[in-house]
Amino acid sequence: MKFDTPAKTNPIDQLKVVGKPVDRIDGPLKTTGTAKYAYEHHDVAPDTAYGYVIGSAIAKGRITSINLNEAKAAPGVLAIVTADNAGKLGKGELNTAKLLGGPEIQHYHQAIGVVVAETFEQARAAAQLVQVKYERAKGSFDLAAAKDSGIKPKPGFGGPPDTSVGNFAGAFASAPVKFEATYTTPDQSHCMMEPHASIAVWKGDKLTVWTSNQMIAWGVRDMAKTLGIPKENVRFISPYIGGGFGGKLFLRADVLLAALGARAAKRPVKVALQRALMMNNTTHRAATIQRIRLGATKEGKLTAIAHESWSGDLPDGGPETAVSQTRQLYAGANRMTAMRLAVLDLTEANAMRAPGEASGMMALEIAMDEMAEKLGLDPIEFRILNDTQVVPDNPAKPPSSDPQSKAPEEKHNPHPPFSQRQLTECFRTGAKRFGWNKRNPTPGKTRDGHWLIGIGVAAAFRNNLVTKSAARVRLDNRGIVTVETDMTDIGTGSYTIIAQTAAEMMGVPLDKVVVRLGDSSFPVSCGSGGQWGGNNSTAGVYAACMKLREAIAQKAGFNASDATFTDGQVRSGNRTITLAEAAGDKGLVAEDFIEYGDLDKQFQQSTFGAHFVEVGVNAATGETRLRRMLAVCAAGRILNPKMARSQVIGAMTMGAGAALMEGLVVDKRHGFFVNHDLATYEVPVHADIPHLEAIFLDETDPTSSPMKAKGVAELGICGVAAAVANAIYNATGIRVRDYPITLDKLLDKLPEMV
Amino acid sequence: MRPFTFERAKTPADAAAAAARHPDAKFIAGGTNLLDLMKLQIETPAHLIDVNGLGLEKIEATQEGGLRIGALVRNADLAAHHRVRRDYGVLSRALVAGASGQLRNMATTAGNLLQRTRCPYFYDTNQPCNKRLPGSGCGAIGGFSRPHAVIGVSDACIATHPSDMAVAMRVLDATVETINPDGSARKIPIAKLHCLPGDTPHIETVLMPGELITGVTLPKPVGGKHIYHKVRDRSSFAFALVSVAAIVQPDGTGRVALGGVAPKPWRVEEAEAELPRGAKVFTARLLAGARPTPENAFKLRLVERIVASVLAEAKGAQV
C-alpha cells in the first residue's frame, strides 16, 4: 500500500481497540519470567557451549603476539577464535570499527577473540589465561583538544553538516539583544538491562541466531556481509529484548563471535557481552561541545540564531547531529547551523535514544532560558513569541527521511508547513497543570527548609520519520488472527499496539489476535529505532489487514468496499458470516507493506512537547533532588495511552539521568571510558525519580500514515535535561552549562554557610 | 575466576587454623565483595573457608554497658537492632545509607570492615594499580580521581575505603576482636585496623595472615545527637563522595568521622576540641595536610559545608 495522500476516515478511526489503554499482551509472560530473552533459549540447542569475549587492553595500536597455549589447555575449552583463525571477515554497512579486531586495534575493549568452553566459568577462566602483547600507538581521546581539527562530515541522518538562511553574521552583529554561550554534554552509554547476547546455531552453511536486536533486517544484512555468506543463509530471531535505546540497532560482537565460536567448536555457542564491555566495546552517544548564539529585538523576537556542534568518532564515523532541532524549532530570519567531526579513538559513537535532539536540546533549551532572562521575558512567553508554523531552515535533504528508501528527490520547499504543531498548546496546558504561575522568576528566592526550590521549563521536540514496513496476517478457522512481522518489541509495547491494530481492522477482540515478532523469516518491518517503530509498524499491519479484508470479502462473495468487520463477523447488507467460516479449513493469508510518497516533504512531521520540572537543591551540599516532573506531548494519535505514558516517563527518567549524573569519564591518557560498570556509571535509581506525569494532547496527523500516529518514545527525553538545568538555575541562580550537573559544579556558588 | 577448594569451618579457631594451613586462603561470609573480585581475578584465592557456620551472628550486651556485635551479624539485622537504633543511632543510619536492601541482607559486619576499594582502576585488570599489582603504578593519579581520597593518600595510591558502617564505628570508638591461628585473641581499636597506603597500598589492615575477625565491641553509649550525613551523586545505591558521622552533645562538643575522603574512616580526635568553634575551624584541623587532586578538591569544601549543616542540625536549627 502506498500512502501518498492524507488519510481519510478509515477503520482505525472507530477506536474500539486502538487508543485504549490496554495492558501489554506480553505482560504475563514478562512478569512470570516465561518470555525468553536471547540468552535463555535453552530448548533450541541443549548442547550449547559458552563463549567469553576478550576485549583489547589498549585503545590504539597493534597486537604483536597472542599466546593461547595455556588457555587452550584449560579445562573445558573447545575452541578459541581470534582474527588469526577467524577466516576472512567483512564489515557491516553500519559498523564503523571491526567487530573482531586484531592485529590492528581501533579502540579499548574492541573484541580480539572469543574463548568457547563447556561452561561459562571455564570460558571466563580460560579467557583470563590468554596472553596478549601489544604495541601501543598514540591516539586522539580528548574532544576539546581535537575539536579544531574537526572536519565537515558527510550528510547523513541529521541532514547536511552546514545550513544557512539569510545573513546570520550581519543580523547578530546588529541585534539589540545578544546572547552567546558554549555548552558541553558528555559521552553516554545506553546501559540497557539486558546486555548484548546471542546464541548461534549452524546447520550446514545455514546460521540461525537467537539474539537481542532492534533492527532484524539490518542485522541479517550486516551479518551476511561480515561473514561473506548469502543473506538467505542467515536467520535472526529476537522475540523479546531487554531494552536497547539504540545500542542494539546494529550487528555487534556478540552475534559475530557466537557464530564464529559455533563454527570453530562445531557446537551451538552462546555469548553475552560482559557488562564491562558495554561502555567501551559497543556504541555510545558522543560527547558534544555546542556553541549557541542568539540575537533578538528588545521585544524578544529572535532575528539571529546560530548553533554549532563539535563531536568526535573513529575515522569514517559520523557526528552527533546536535544542531538538527535548531533548524526547525524557533522562528528567526537569519540563521546558521554547523557540525564538525573530529577523529577520536574511543569506541564508536552512534545512535542513542533521540540521537541529535537529545544532546542538542540539552544546550538549546538552556540558551533559550538564558536569553529569556536577558530579555526580561517569561521563558514560556519567549518561546511562544518565537513559535512558527513553517520550518524556518529546511535544507535540501538527502533523498528521503526514509532510511531504507532510495527514492529520487522531489522539488525542494525551503519552508514547508508543519503537519501539526501544538508547541504553544503544550506550554499553556503544562503551565496551568504544573502551577507555573507559582514560580518566582527571581532565582534563589524560594526555600523549603534547607532546600532551595526552583522550577524550570523546556520545549520538547523530535522529528517523526516514515519508513517502509511490511506484515503478514493470517486468519484461521477458529477466527484467530495471527500477525507476523520482523518488527521488534524493545519494551516499547509493539506486541500490544500491533494486536490492537489488527483487532480494530478485523473487528475481533484483542484475545483473538496472536502477534509474532522479531524473526527474519517474517516480512521486513521498519524495526525499532528513531521513534519510528510505533507508527510505521502498525501502518504496515494496517496495509496487510486491508488485504486480508479484501480476501475475506471476496471469499464471502461480498463487495470489499461495503463489507463491515465487527464482532468476529463480516457483514454486507443483511448477510453475515463469521471470520472463522470465511477462513475455512485452509485459512487465509495476506501480506502487504506500507510505503510512503512525499507527504513527509510536503509537510514537516514533528512531535512537540513541554517539560516542567521542580527541583530542590540542598543549600549545604548542592545535591539536586527532583520533586515533580510533567511532560505535555503532542505526538499524533496515541495508539495506547498506557504504553505511550510508559515510554514518556521512561524517557523523562533517562533525561533526569543525563541532567544530574550520567557521563562516561574519558581517561585521556589511555583512551577509554573509565567508569565501565553500573556501579560507577550512575543512572537514576527509584529514589531519584519523583512523581512523573505525562499528558498527551488530542491530535491526529493524517499526513503521517493511515494510523495518523507519530513517534513518541524519544520525544520524552528531548528537553528534559535542560528543564532540570533551568530549574536548578531558578533554585540557586547558578548557571551550569556542562552536563551532568553534579554538586561540585554548584558548591562554590551556593550561599555561605553560617 | 580461578578454580579453588572450599571448606566450611565449624569454630572460629578452626577457621583461623584452616587459614594458616592454606597461605592462599580467604574467608568468605556474605561474599558480596569477594565473589565479584574473584570473577574479575582481582582476588585469586586457592582456597575458601566459609565462616557462615561459626555462630557469630549474635548481638549481646557487654558488662560495661556496651554492645558486642558478632562478626557475622548481617548489615540489615544490625541496622534494625533495637539497641543499635536506640543507643548507637549513627551506626544504624550509616548502615542503611549503604548499598541496597539485598546487599545489606547478605553483607556481614566483619566483611563490611574488610571490603576493598571501589577505585575503577583497581577493578580494571588492564590498568595499573599498586593495590592490585604492587609496583604497577597508580591509574587514578593523573587519571579519573573525582571519587578518590583527599587525605591520608600517598604517591602510590589515592583510593578510598568505601564503607559507611566503618565510619560510624570509628566515631563510636569500636574495638575489633580477632582470633589468630594459634588460638590467641586480640583486640584492635578500629582506629588502628586500617592502614594508610604509604608505599604498600596492597596492605590494607593490620590483620595477620589467618587472623579472623570474630566481633566488634561498642563501648557504653555516649548519648548526644547521632547524625550520619552521606552525600552522593544519586539518592541511593552509590558510594559516598563524602559522608559525615557525628555525635554532638548539647554543649556543642562532639566527635566527627568522615567517609569517602581517605583510605580509612577519617577521624582526628585532637581536632574535635575545635568543634564548638564551628565548622570552618574544625574542618581546617581535621583536613590539615590534605592532598586533593584538581578533580576532587571540592571534597574539602564539601566536608566543611556538611559539618556546618550537621552542627546546625544537632542544635535543632535549620541550615
Side-chain angles (χ1 to χ4, degrees):
Chain A
M1 176 184 288
K2 179 126 184 178
F3 183 74
D4 51 9
T5 54
K8 301 195 181 68
T9 301
N10 67 40
I12 295 297
D13 294 318
Q14 300 172 93
L15 297 179
K16 288 179 187 163
V17 196
V18 168
K20 296 279 186 284
V22 300
D23 290 346
R24 281 170 203 272
I25 60 170
D26 49 330
L29 290 176
K30 290 190 171 168
T31 50
T32 56
T34 46
K36 281 184 189 156
Y37 288 82
Y39 209 66
E40 301 173 336
H41 294 273
H42 310 300
D43 51 333
V44 299
D47 57 342
T48 300
Y50 292 78
Y52 194 84
V53 177
I54 307 166
S56 166
I58 66 163
K60 192 171 163 70
R62 292 179 68 78
I63 296 173
T64 53
S65 70
I66 303 185
N67 183 341
L68 300 176
N69 293 340
E70 245 189 290
K72 276 184 180 162
V77 171
L78 300 168
I80 302 177
V81 180
T82 68
D84 288 339
N85 64 355
K88 189 169 178 291
L89 295 177
K91 187 156 74 70
E93 280 178 36
L94 296 171
N95 294 126
T96 306
K98 285 185 180 172
L99 296 180
L100 178 60
E104 191 205 353
I105 297 298
Q106 296 167 288
H107 62 86
Y108 193 70
H109 277 172
Q110 182 174 29
I112 58 168
V114 62
V115 177
V116 179
E118 292 288 350
T119 71
F120 171 77
E121 288 75 13
Q122 288 172 333
R124 184 176 58 192
Q128 287 160 322
L129 296 172
V130 172
Q131 291 152 22
V132 187
K133 290 210 170 92
Y134 301 92
E135 190 179 285
R136 285 176 195 262
K138 198 170 169 319
S140 166
F141 308 120
D142 182 352
L143 176 61
K147 169 178 173 271
D148 292 336
S149 67
I151 53 142
K152 208 187 269 197
K154 342 185 246 294
F157 265 114
D162 289 359
T163 63
S164 174
V165 175
N167 172 6
F168 169 76
F172 184 67
S174 62
V177 183
K178 291 196 215 10
F179 171 78
E180 173 174 356
T182 297
Y183 304 85
T184 59
T185 64
D187 296 287
Q188 294 178 339
S189 181
H190 305 83
C191 287
M192 57 280 167
M193 191 69 88
E194 181 201 27
H196 295 79
S198 296
I199 301 176
V201 180
W202 288 92
K203 286 217 168 80
D205 58 1
K206 296 210 185 312
L207 171 69
T208 303
V209 184
W210 284 263
T211 188
S212 184
N213 189 291
Q214 298 173 226
M215 300 291 298
I216 300 300
W218 291 1
V220 167
R221 179 198 63 199
D222 277 355
M223 186 63 173
K225 202 170 165 220
T226 305
L227 291 175
I229 62 175
K231 221 163 60 166
E232 295 66 38
N233 289 3
V234 178
R235 184 175 172 195
F236 270 35
I237 302 174
S238 186
Y240 299 104
I241 298 167
F245 308 123
K248 293 173 181 168
L249 286 169
F250 314 113
L251 180 74
R252 298 301 317 170
D254 58 307
V255 191
L256 179 63
L257 294 178
L260 293 175
R263 192 153 71 180
K266 302 188 171 51
R267 287 262 294 269
V269 166
K270 57 163 70 176
V271 170
L273 293 188
Q274 53 266 35
R275 188 62 77 180
L277 291 191
M278 189 168 57
M279 285 77 177
N280 286 288
N281 173 281
T282 75
T283 59
H284 72 286
R285 191 201 299 279
T288 63
I289 298 171
Q290 300 179 48
R291 179 190 186 209
I292 293 179
R293 285 171 289 168
L294 301 173
T297 65
K298 287 205 170 70
E299 296 71 37
K301 277 272 184 198
L302 287 168
T303 53
I305 304 176
H307 193 162
E308 297 154 276
S309 173
W310 291 262
S311 63
D313 199 357
L314 288 165
D316 303 321
E320 183 63 41
T321 56
V323 304
S324 22
Q325 73 289 321
T326 307
R327 298 169 181 168
Q328 300 179 329
L329 193 48
Y330 297 114
N334 304 287
R335 49 207 303 147
M336 62 84 71
T337 63
M339 294 184 274
R340 292 294 177 269
L341 177 64
V343 169
L344 288 181
D345 298 301
L346 299 165
T347 184
E348 75 183 76
N350 217 314
M352 180 167 146
R353 202 173 196 172
E357 282 100 326
S359 305
M361 294 292 277
M362 286 170 83
L364 178 65
E365 287 298 289
I366 298 184
M368 288 298 284
D369 200 66
E370 298 202 61
M371 187 62 166
E373 191 184 35
K374 207 162 180 184
L375 287 160
L377 287 175
D378 176 274
I380 291 179
E381 296 309 322
F382 175 51
R383 287 175 171 92
I384 289 173
L385 188 63
N386 291 287
D387 196 8
T388 171
Q389 290 295 321
V390 299
V391 177
D393 176 5
N394 184 46
K397 281 179 198 157
S400 166
S401 67
D402 178 350
Q404 295 176 12
S405 150
K406 300 229 158 50
E409 175 62 338
E410 305 290 324
K411 72 173 190 297
H412 172 244
N413 179 354
H415 300 294
F418 287 95
S419 59
Q420 306 275 353
R421 181 165 164 130
Q422 298 199 70
L423 179 63
T424 293
E425 292 77 1
C426 289
F427 277 118
R428 296 265 186 248
T429 305
K432 209 161 159 190
R433 188 84 163 228
F434 202 71
W436 177 253
N437 58 2
K438 294 195 191 80
R439 168 183 177 266
N440 185 338
T442 310
K445 296 290 179 211
T446 309
R447 218 170 155 123
D448 176 6
H450 57 275
W451 294 97
L452 306 170
I453 308 301
I455 291 179
V457 74
F461 173 83
R462 174 78 173 147
N463 279 333
N464 180 63
L465 299 173
V466 291
T467 179
K468 185 176 172 183
S469 192
R472 183 159 59 219
V473 194
R474 302 174 186 279
L475 177 66
D476 72 11
N477 63 2
R478 296 163 302 155
I480 302 287
V481 177
T482 301
V483 184
E484 294 170 339
T485 164
D486 84 352
M487 180 59 188
T488 50
D489 189 326
I490 59 174
T492 39
S494 307
Y495 277 104
T496 311
I497 57 172
I498 285 172
Q500 287 175 275
T501 303
E504 194 80 76
M505 292 299 293
M506 304 314 300
V508 298
L510 212 47
D511 63 4
K512 296 283 186 212
V513 181
V514 174
V515 181
R516 300 172 67 197
L517 300 182
D519 186 328
S520 61
S521 69
F522 298 154
V524 174
S525 72
C526 56
S528 298
Q531 78 169 11
W532 66 60
N535 178 51
N536 292 293
S537 70
T538 54
V541 172
Y542 172 97
C545 286
M546 274 301 194
K547 257 202 176 158
L548 183 61
R549 286 164 64 116
E550 284 163 26
I552 293 166
Q554 193 184 19
K555 193 147 177 224
F558 296 162
N559 186 345
S561 60
D562 51 51
T564 57
F565 291 75
T566 47
D567 304 327
Q569 298 172 325
V570 53
R571 290 198 187 93
S572 180
N574 44 19
R575 284 185 56 212
T576 297
I577 68 165
T578 66
L579 292 184
E581 286 164 352
D585 285 343
K586 282 190 184 158
L588 288 169
V589 186
E591 183 175 331
D592 200 3
F593 52 81
I594 193 85
E595 64 179 342
Y596 297 89
D598 67 350
L599 283 173
D600 69 327
K601 315 268 179 328
Q602 293 179 40
F603 301 94
Q604 174 58 44
Q605 300 170 6
S606 302
T607 60
F608 297 89
H611 286 292
F612 292 79
V613 173
E614 181 180 310
V615 300
V617 177
N618 187 305
T621 63
E623 292 160 287
T624 298
R625 297 291 180 252
L626 299 163
R627 293 162 73 101
R628 290 191 295 146
M629 296 173 80
L630 165 69
V632 183
C633 304
R637 171 174 280 154
I638 299 303
L639 301 174
N640 180 326
K642 194 168 182 175
M643 304 295 121
R645 174 179 181 277
S646 173
Q647 284 301 296
V648 171
I649 65 173
M652 290 160 77
T653 302
M654 212 167 186
L660 297 175
M661 63 193 81
E662 281 189 52
L664 291 163
V665 178
V666 183
D667 185 314
K668 291 168 190 159
R669 307 160 305 172
H670 304 311
F672 71 109
F673 298 130
V674 183
N675 49 342
H676 51 66
D677 58 38
L678 288 179
T680 48
Y681 183 89
E682 291 186 7
V683 297
V685 294
H686 285 88
D688 290 305
I689 301 303
H691 180 69
L692 302 179
E693 204 178 349
I695 298 172
F696 299 94
L697 297 188
D698 202 19
E699 184 176 295
T700 49
D701 192 335
T703 73
S704 71
S705 81
M707 303 304 292
K708 304 174 186 173
K710 287 184 286 207
V712 69
E714 297 187 338
L715 176 65
I717 192 175
C718 299
V720 181
V724 174
N726 296 338
I728 291 172
Y729 176 74
N730 183 244
T732 62
I734 305 167
R735 191 60 84 173
V736 179
R737 302 188 181 95
D738 171 34
Y739 290 101
I741 307 174
T742 47
L743 60 93
D744 43 312
K745 295 172 188 171
L746 300 172
L747 213 51
D748 285 344
K749 297 172 194 136
L750 287 171
E752 282 294 315
M753 302 283 294
V754 277
Chain B
M1 188 181 279
R2 295 252 177 93
F4 57 90
T5 51
F6 178 86
E7 72 174 287
R8 289 200 173 92
K10 295 203 174 54
T11 67
D14 279 355
R21 283 195 301 274
H22 299 273
D24 277 351
K26 282 267 173 192
F27 299 119
I28 182 163
T32 57
N33 191 205
L34 180 62
L35 288 179
D36 285 350
L37 294 171
M38 287 172 66
K39 290 174 190 172
L40 297 166
Q41 290 195 188
I42 295 162
E43 296 271 16
T44 52
H47 185 67
L48 283 186
I49 302 160
D50 180 353
V51 296
N52 284 295
L54 302 188
L56 297 174
E57 55 282 288
K58 290 191 221 33
I59 302 177
E60 303 157 301
T62 64
Q63 286 187 339
E64 295 75 30
L67 211 56
R68 188 178 183 285
I69 302 156
L72 292 169
V73 174
R74 308 287 155 172
N75 289 176
D77 295 334
L78 183 58
H81 191 268
H82 69 282
R83 281 278 325 265
V84 176
R85 292 178 55 176
R86 190 186 72 196
D87 298 331
Y88 306 97
V90 66
L91 177 57
S92 187
R93 288 176 191 126
L95 282 160
V96 296
S100 67
Q102 291 91 331
L103 286 168
R104 293 193 295 268
N105 286 340
M106 283 302 289
T108 62
T109 303
N112 190 318
L113 288 172
L114 299 181
Q115 66 180 299
R116 306 202 66 191
T117 186
R118 301 293 165 153
C119 172
Y121 294 93
F122 174 72
Y123 267 80
D124 186 336
T125 51
N126 293 327
Q127 301 304 321
C129 173
N130 288 321
K131 195 183 266 301
R132 174 168 37 76
L133 189 65
S136 61
C138 173
I141 294 173
F144 173 48
S145 61
R146 180 174 177 269
H148 288 73
V150 295
I151 194 161
V153 296
S154 72
D155 291 340
C157 183
I158 59 170
T160 59
H161 190 271
S163 173
D164 290 297
M165 183 197 80
V167 181
M169 286 184 168
R170 177 73 179 86
V171 90
L172 288 166
D173 281 333
T175 301
V176 177
E177 298 175 1
T178 69
I179 184 165
N180 278 293
D182 65 4
S184 65
R186 71 163 166 157
K187 293 185 175 180
I188 307 166
I190 191 164
K192 300 260 192 301
L193 176 69
H194 297 105
C195 306
L196 292 180
D199 295 332
T200 53
H202 57 290
I203 300 172
E204 294 174 352
T205 69
V206 299
L207 296 181
M208 301 302 288
E211 190 171 4
L212 174 75
I213 295 179
T214 52
V216 175
T217 301
L218 303 179
K220 201 167 75 153
V222 294
K225 273 229 178 182
H226 286 224
I227 296 170
Y228 191 75
H229 193 147
K230 179 175 180 178
V231 173
R232 43 188 157 179
D233 287 323
R234 64 178 172 192
S235 306
S236 178
F237 204 20
F239 294 97
L241 290 169
V242 170
S243 69
V244 173
I247 300 175
V248 185
Q249 302 299 340
D251 63 2
T253 62
R255 313 165 170 195
V256 172
L258 305 178
V261 299
K264 60 191 280 187
W266 193 256
R267 183 176 170 200
V268 178
E269 275 85 345
E270 306 80 67
E272 287 166 3
E274 309 278 14
L275 262 179
R277 296 178 60 198
K280 211 175 212 49
V281 178
F282 165 70
T283 307
R285 277 292 298 277
L286 178 64
L287 295 178
R291 281 174 56 191
T293 68
E295 283 189 6
N296 67 22
F298 75 92
K299 288 190 176 188
L300 303 181
R301 304 187 294 278
L302 183 57
V303 169
E304 185 187 309
R305 296 183 71 96
I306 305 172
V307 169
S309 154
V310 163
L311 294 179
E313 186 185 335
K315 271 192 223 154
Q318 266 193 351
V319 189

